[in-house]
Amino acid sequence: NAAIKANLALAADPKSKLSKFIHVNDRMMQPDPLIIKVRKNLSPQSYFRFVWDTLGFFLLLYYTISIPFYMAFFFGEKIDLYYRFIVLDFIMDAYWILDIICKLFLFSFQIEATAALCKDGEQIRKKYFNSGYFTIDCVASMPLELFMLVPGVHREAVFFFRAIHLLRVSQLFNYWTSVGTHLSKKFNFFVGRSSSLLLKAGMAYMIANHLFACIYFSIHRYAERNEEFTYVIEDGFATYNEETHQHN
C-alpha cells in the first residue's frame, strides 16, 4: 500500500517520468460510465430496490394464492371473466422478465466482508448465477400460455400452463426478508427475529391450508369426474348426470 501511494504521488508530479505513462489527474476527472451510475443508484439501499422487492413479494403472494385457486375453482363463466383480465397477469409476468435483466446487469450488491458496493457487471452476474435462482427464474418465466393459440387446446388449460410460475414461489420468504431489511434501514421499523419467524410460520400455514383445499377440491373435479358419489355431490354442491356419467 505504501508503494502504491508513493507511485501515485510520483505519477501526479509532472516532473517525474512516471507521470508520462500514468495520467492520474486525467483518469480521476473521467466521469463514471452510465452503467456504473445506474448501478450506484440501484444499490440495495435505494428506494427503487425497496419498492421493487416489495412489489416482488406481493406478486409472489398473488401467484401462490391465485394460480391454484384458478386451477381448482374456475370453470364456465368464470373462465370467460378471467380471459377478460388475463392481460393483467401478463403485465405481472413482464415484471419478472425485467427482474432477471436487472439482476443480471443492474442490481449492485454489498460485499459482506467489506460492506463495499460492488458495481462490477461480471461480479453481479456471478452472484446471480451462484445463487441458484437464475435457472428457476428463467424456467418460471417461460410463456407457456402461448400454447393456447394451438387449435384444439381447451380453455381451462391456461391455468395449468400458468402453473409453471409457481416455481418462483420458493423465493417468497427471501423477498420477505429483503422487505424487512429495507424497512429497518430506511424507516427504522424493526421486526424482532422471533416475531418474524412467527409471521413466516403463520404465512406458511395459511398458504399450505389454501393449497391443500385447492388440491382437495381438484380431486373431485378432475380425478373423480366420472364418480357418482363424491363428497361435493353428497354436500349438495354438484350433481351427477346419468346420461353423460359425469358430475358438473
Side-chain angles (χ1 to χ4, degrees):
N1 289 340
I4 292 174
K5 186 176 180 180
N7 286 335
L8 287 175
L10 285 173
D13 185 0
K15 297 180 180 180
S16 68
K17 294 182 179 179
L18 196 58
S19 65
K20 302 182 184 301
F21 299 97
I22 302 176
H23 303 283
V24 178
N25 294 330
D26 293 343
R27 177 61 179 171
M28 292 176 65
M29 292 177 63
Q30 289 182 1
D32 290 331
L34 179 61
I35 187 69
I36 298 299
K37 292 181 179 179
V38 172
R39 289 169 183 164
K40 284 182 179 179
N41 293 329
L42 298 183
S43 68
Q45 291 78 28
S46 65
Y47 281 98
F48 179 87
R49 291 283 288 272
F50 165 64
V51 174
W52 190 263
D53 290 344
T54 303
L55 181 59
F57 169 76
F58 284 107
L59 288 181
L60 286 177
L61 196 60
Y62 168 76
Y63 282 163
T64 306
I65 295 172
S66 66
I67 294 178
F69 181 78
Y70 293 156
M71 293 173 64
F73 294 99
F74 267 42
F75 53 88
E77 294 181 357
K78 292 181 179 179
I79 295 182
D80 297 331
L81 179 63
Y82 174 77
Y83 270 93
R84 295 178 188 176
F85 299 98
I86 194 172
V87 66
L88 297 178
D89 276 358
F90 291 158
I91 292 175
M92 297 178 193
D93 297 341
Y95 165 91
W96 296 108
I97 302 296
L98 294 175
D99 185 66
I100 294 175
I101 296 173
C102 289
K103 288 178 178 177
L104 281 174
F105 302 104
L106 301 178
F107 281 172
S108 54
F109 65 94
Q110 277 189 321
I111 302 173
E112 294 183 2
T114 62
L117 185 65
C118 179
K119 303 179 290 293
D120 180 69
E122 184 176 349
Q123 293 300 318
I124 290 173
R125 287 184 286 276
K126 183 178 179 180
K127 182 178 183 296
Y128 188 26
F129 293 149
N130 291 340
S131 69
Y133 292 119
F134 173 71
T135 302
I136 294 175
D137 288 344
C138 289
V139 174
S141 298
M142 294 175 61
L144 298 185
E145 295 88 348
L146 294 177
F147 283 106
M148 294 300 300
L149 301 176
V150 177
V153 176
H154 200 277
R155 294 188 310 157
E156 296 179 3
V158 65
F159 302 131
F160 293 91
F161 290 140
R162 290 196 57 77
I164 196 170
H165 299 297
L166 291 175
L167 292 174
R168 192 179 278 109
V169 173
S170 60
Q171 304 179 55
L172 179 65
F173 291 119
N174 292 344
Y175 277 83
W176 169 276
T177 302
S178 297
V179 172
T181 302
H182 287 304
L183 290 175
S184 62
K185 290 184 176 181
K186 289 182 173 56
F187 306 103
N188 292 323
F189 182 82
F190 296 93
V191 179
R193 181 176 177 81
S194 57
S195 299
S196 179
L197 290 175
L198 184 62
L199 289 172
K200 286 182 180 180
M203 188 184 305
Y205 172 79
M206 289 187 290
I207 291 174
N209 187 56
H210 173 71
L211 292 178
F212 280 122
C214 293
I215 293 172
Y216 192 49
F217 186 80
S218 295
I219 293 174
H220 156 78
R221 179 178 177 182
Y222 299 106
E224 299 178 341
R225 188 65 186 273
N226 299 317
E227 297 293 330
E228 184 175 357
F229 299 102
T230 71
Y231 79 96
V232 180
I233 295 176
E234 291 296 312
D235 289 342
F237 293 107
T239 57
Y240 182 78
N241 190 317
E242 295 288 349
E243 296 181 358
T244 62
H245 298 289
Q246 290 183 338
H247 61 68
N248 60 349

